[in-house]
Amino acid sequence: MDSDDHLGGTMYSSTTRKPDPIDGVISAKITARRKSRGVSQQALAEKIGVSFQQIQKYESGENRVAASRLIRIARALGCQITDLIPDEDR
């Protein structure tokens, strides 16, 4: 098996079973961008077609954000996808 597997929507290292730090950075960047734009979780959810609870799960890191959803979030927040990923991964 690869070094990573999915459990409960979060990426975990198979050796440590801890969430991948990259997912945490993405979650934090989504939250920061949303707040800096003055967008509520409800408004963002409506713009991308999910429930506000799903936005809460993305922002808390409980659920990983798929690439397609990350694209929608970036568009809804008026930013580039690269604004929502860790700097060292660009």
Side-chain angles (χ1 to χ4, degrees):
M1 178 176 261
D2 291 358
S3 64
D4 296 321
D5 20 79
H6 302 282
L7 295 175
T10 303
M11 180 68 92
Y12 290 87
S13 167
S14 61
T15 56
T16 61
R17 295 304 216 211
K18 293 181 182 177
D20 191 303
I22 294 171
D23 293 323
V25 172
I26 291 170
S27 296
K29 286 186 172 246
I30 290 170
T31 303
R33 177 64 62 151
R34 179 183 61 74
K35 289 180 176 180
S36 75
R37 303 282 297 190
V39 176
S40 69
Q41 288 180 329
Q42 181 66 42
L44 179 57
E46 289 171 5
K47 287 182 179 184
I48 68 167
V50 299
S51 68
F52 83 92
Q53 291 94 337
Q54 186 61 48
I55 298 298
Q56 288 176 326
K57 289 179 180 184
Y58 290 150
E59 291 187 359
S60 72
E62 186 176 339
N63 285 3
R64 294 179 70 224
V65 181
S68 58
R69 190 66 42 85
L70 190 62
I71 291 167
R72 289 187 190 107
I73 291 169
R75 287 178 183 160
L77 295 176
C79 66
Q80 299 294 314
I81 298 165
T82 55
D83 295 329
L84 302 176
I85 60 172
D87 295 335
E88 63 273 5
D89 289 328
R90 293 184 196 180

